[in-house]
Every structure is written in C-alpha cells, then in structure tokens.
C-alpha cells in the first residue's frame, strides 16, 4: 500500500491497478545475487513497477528488485519478471 498522499501516475487509467509515482533508489539483483545494478523506481503498483537503470544494458528476464530506503507501506524486496524494456527503462511484474 502506498503512503498517504501518493499521487497516481498519468497512465493509471489504462491499467488495471493504480500506479504510484516514486523516486526511490533501488537495486536489481541477478545471477544468483552475485551481480547487481543500481536503479531508480519511478512508479509502482501492487503488481509491478517501472524502473530506470543506471546504465544501458539488457535486463535479465528474472531478478530481485530491492528498495534501498523504503518508506512506510512500500515493499523492501520483490522477485520480478521483465515485461518490457525501452533503453534504460524497464517494466517489471512482481512474481
């Protein structure tokens, strides 16, 4: 659940669930947690998130997304599946 006062993002109408804007620091963990990549979580919902990677690279199909400084009501870490990628921005589904 998002913290009180969080604003839904512009594309909320076209989605099943509400997406909430965020600028949280995060980290993608992959390769059995032997590799990581710093990211910014730009929005999130109950089912997934949009993430901006720190460097352009192909994103792994499955990974863990960790929030480095979670606020009240935000997840700390979730297992994820890549849904789409455009440059350094990726859409992820929580699994």
């Amino acid at each position: 659940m998002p913290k009180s006062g969080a604003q839904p993002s512009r594309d909320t109408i076209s989605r099943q669930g509400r997406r909430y804007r965020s600028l949280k620091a995060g980290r993608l963990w992959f390769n059995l947690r032997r590799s990581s990549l710093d990211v910014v979580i730009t929005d999130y919902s109950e089912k997934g998130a949009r993430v901006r990677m720190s460097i352009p690279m192909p994103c792994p199909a499955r990974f863990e997304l960790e929030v480095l400084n979670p606020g009240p009501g935000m997840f700390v870490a979730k297992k994820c599946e890549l849904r789409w990628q455009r440059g350094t921005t990726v859409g992820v589904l929580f699994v």
Side-chain angles (χ1 to χ4, degrees), residues 25-91:
R27 186 165 289 137
L28 296 185
W29 289 97
F30 51 98
N31 193 20
L32 301 173
R33 281 188 79 90
R34 286 184 246 151
S35 302
S36 67
L37 178 66
D38 290 336
V39 299
V40 174
I41 301 162
T42 58
D43 67 42
Y44 66 96
S45 71
E46 246 180 59
K47 296 182 180 187
R50 183 182 343 212
V51 176
R52 192 173 59 236
M53 300 186 299
S54 58
I55 60 170
M57 67 172 270
C59 188
R62 290 185 176 265
F63 51 89
E64 188 174 326
L65 174 60
E66 176 185 18
V67 180
L68 298 180
N69 187 17
M74 259 193 108
F75 62 88
V76 176
K78 294 266 191 180
K79 293 188 185 300
C80 298
E81 187 176 281
L82 177 67
R83 300 308 285 172
W84 56 266
Q85 179 170 2
R86 291 184 197 102
T88 58
T89 303
V90 296

Side-chain angles (χ1 to χ4, degrees), residues 5-27:
Q7 297 294 315
S9 66
R10 283 184 291 162
D11 54 356
T12 299
I13 297 169
S14 65
R15 301 188 182 276
Q16 289 180 340
R18 289 185 124 181
R19 293 185 80 76
Y20 296 91
R21 291 182 193 172
S22 168
L23 284 176
K24 289 285 187 182
R27 186 165 289 137

